Amino acid sequence: MCFRPGEAKCTYGHGSFLLMTPARSRCGRKNGLLTTVGYQLGDEPAVYALEGSIAVTGSLVQWFRDSLG
């Protein structure tokens, strides 16, 4: 539900994925982030998002849990 520029969301599972809607226009790569389509409503132009990911977040949390126990 990131409809305004600057809003972000993070999903977590096996990995973590952060998406931020910086603008209505397509963004170039910045610091290793990817550009992806965030959403498109009706006939409006697509809104793009920057995406960053961490591949093994779930494994890292499990490792921390197992190491502390």
Side-chain angles (χ1 to χ4, degrees):
M1 301 298 293
C2 303
F3 293 114
R4 285 180 265 156
E7 291 184 332
K9 75 172 210 139
C10 184
T11 58
Y12 170 79
H14 292 288
S16 294
F17 304 90
L18 179 68
L19 288 126
M20 183 183 91
T21 52
R24 290 209 174 262
S25 61
R26 188 168 183 165
C27 324
R29 286 181 167 223
K30 297 183 184 213
N31 301 323
L33 300 175
L34 301 175
T35 301
T36 186
V37 175
Y39 63 91
Q40 182 177 14
L41 300 174
D43 293 334
E44 295 291 319
V47 176
Y48 293 90
L50 289 174
E51 178 181 10
S53 61
I54 302 171
V56 294
T57 309
S59 298
L60 177 63
V61 170
Q62 184 177 0
W63 179 81
F64 276 134
R65 182 200 65 198
D66 294 347
S67 297
L68 293 174

